[in-house]
Amino acid sequence: MKIIERTIILSCATIFLFIVFKAVYNGVQSNRSLIKPQSSNYYQIIDKDFNKTVEVPFTSINSYRGNADYIYMSVDQKSPSLDNKIVQYNRKTQKCTTIFNSKFKLPSVQGVELNDTWLLWVDTDEHGGYLNPYFMNLKTQEIQPLTKENEENVINDFPILIGDFAAWIKMNRKDEKAEVMLKNLKTDKTISIFNLNSFTFRNMSLSAKDGKILFTDEKNHFGYIYLYDVKTKEIKEFKSSYEFIGWARLLNDQQWVYLTFDEPSTGDDKLIFYDASTNHMQEVVSDIVSVSELNTDFNNQVFLYFNDNGYYKKFKIKDHLLVEDGLLELHYRFSAENGVYIYDQELPNEKYKLIIQSKLPN
């Protein structure tokens, strides 16, 4: 399968690390970030719920999450490189407040994650030499590093939030061993919950919903899906019929989707839906040649941007099956968390726009 619009960094002999330069949930970013827009191309924020349009002094907004009151964004404001700040946008007052400034000379701040209590992001440079994740308590505004900063020979990949916990994959550059980590943000206690057999672009991302963490692995020529319960600490294993799988996304605590990959053979790849309550696997799309993004939202919907079609194909759950539900003509970067959709719009000869709304366009 061809993976488009991503920058790949070779971190060791067999391990590939994506350092994304324009983030979505997870983290797809376009190489347009490397071409610095002029100040005349400042972004407009269009909040359709509040019927407000404001111009903000940022030449890029590449990673974002929001809720009913605020939008948190990585932005480029007079940066010598890529995004250099984390900014809070108040939806009621239309005011922006800087929360964090990158500690790197050539910055690339990204990986924003948000829930009711916590904010996460990653500070790195444009080369991805170090990934330093930080978290902030939304109530106290206190910012702390999630892991040791600038840690030698260790990659702490992009974290996700699940309640009062953050989860991420940690990889040791020396022995190329990776493990899934979990940190209690209240107590500061960090544990390893799983040792991965493989660590590739396929299984680098984690997904979390309803108190569960989903991730994939490969062993003995088969792909495996793992579902970890944060409360009970129980982990369940599900064997896939395919060897090369990844990009798993939870819809809820019993249903998820993932992609198959054609390495090392040739041919089209598939979008797979799995329902753990019925132990049923469904091939939803079987003609995938390239993928830009796979997203889920807070309404049990799935969005797949593939084959350079120029749109998302939408899916919804019906009678324990995943069925097509129309098209979504958006640029493939968008956020669907906490009851808010956020997406960017880049039209020729127009200002870049960041659009916020509680319902998707028809």
Side-chain angles (χ1 to χ4, degrees), residues 20-84:
V20 282
F21 289 125
K22 287 183 99 182
V24 128
Y25 149 72
N26 53 38
V28 176
Q29 296 194 2
S30 141
N31 290 330
R32 182 184 63 78
S33 298
L34 301 176
I35 304 172
K36 301 284 287 183
Q38 302 300 312
S39 60
S40 59
N41 287 334
Y42 280 161
Y43 258 82
Q44 284 183 336
I45 295 180
I46 301 174
D47 194 327
K48 295 192 174 183
D49 294 337
F50 285 81
N51 195 27
K52 295 289 184 179
T53 299
V54 296
E55 191 165 303
V56 289
F58 313 131
T59 49
S60 73
I61 302 174
N62 289 326
S63 178
Y64 35 77
R65 292 289 187 268
N67 56 33
D69 300 314
Y70 300 99
I71 307 299
Y72 294 88
M73 313 173 289
S74 69
V75 305
D76 178 338
Q77 186 175 27
K78 299 180 179 179
S79 171
S81 182
L82 304 175
D83 286 10
N84 61 332

Side-chain angles (χ1 to χ4, degrees), residues 162-271:
I162 177 167
D164 290 319
F165 294 82
W168 71 98
I169 296 178
K170 176 181 178 180
M171 196 273 285
N172 189 308
R173 294 179 190 263
K174 289 185 176 180
D175 59 18
E176 299 181 1
K177 292 183 177 179
E179 53 190 332
V180 182
M181 309 299 295
L182 185 68
K183 180 168 186 169
N184 187 320
L185 301 180
K186 284 187 173 181
T187 66
D188 209 35
K189 182 180 178 181
T190 302
I191 61 172
S192 173
I193 62 174
F194 191 84
N195 292 318
L196 290 167
N197 185 63
S198 64
F199 183 54
T200 72
F201 74 91
R202 293 182 292 274
N203 68 334
M204 290 180 62
S205 61
L206 307 175
S207 179
K209 280 189 180 179
D210 300 333
K212 306 289 178 62
I213 301 172
L214 186 75
F215 55 94
T216 64
D217 202 2
E218 297 164 7
K219 61 181 181 179
N220 302 323
H221 304 292
F222 284 97
Y224 287 82
I225 300 99
Y226 294 92
L227 190 65
Y228 179 84
D229 190 309
V230 173
K231 184 177 181 180
T232 66
K233 300 181 181 179
E234 177 187 15
I235 188 165
K236 294 181 180 180
E237 180 184 84
F238 301 85
K239 186 177 180 180
S240 172
S241 301
Y242 305 92
E243 179 176 1
F244 299 105
I245 65 171
W247 289 29
R249 305 285 189 264
L250 272 171
L251 283 86
N252 50 68
D253 65 351
Q254 293 292 316
Q255 297 171 318
W256 55 82
V257 291
Y258 62 91
L259 298 176
T260 70
F261 296 81
D262 61 8
E263 296 179 43
S265 64
T266 60
D268 294 338
D269 300 296
K270 300 173 176 63
L271 172 68

Side-chain angles (χ1 to χ4, degrees), residues 263-322:
E263 296 179 43
S265 64
T266 60
D268 294 338
D269 300 296
K270 300 173 176 63
L271 172 68
I272 305 297
F273 170 69
Y274 187 81
D275 189 329
S277 65
T278 61
N279 196 30
H280 177 71
M281 185 197 76
Q282 174 194 357
E283 291 186 5
V284 183
V285 181
S286 58
D287 61 344
I288 297 174
V289 177
S290 63
V291 172
S292 296
E293 188 54 43
L294 173 63
N295 280 337
T296 59
D297 70 359
F298 41 84
N299 289 318
N300 279 342
Q301 296 183 107
V302 176
F303 306 85
L304 179 66
Y305 194 110
F306 70 108
N307 294 356
D308 298 321
N309 289 327
Y311 54 80
Y312 279 96
K313 185 171 284 189
K314 291 170 52 181
F315 304 88
K316 66 179 181 180
I317 298 172
K318 183 178 181 181
D319 299 327
H320 293 279
L321 295 175
L322 197 65

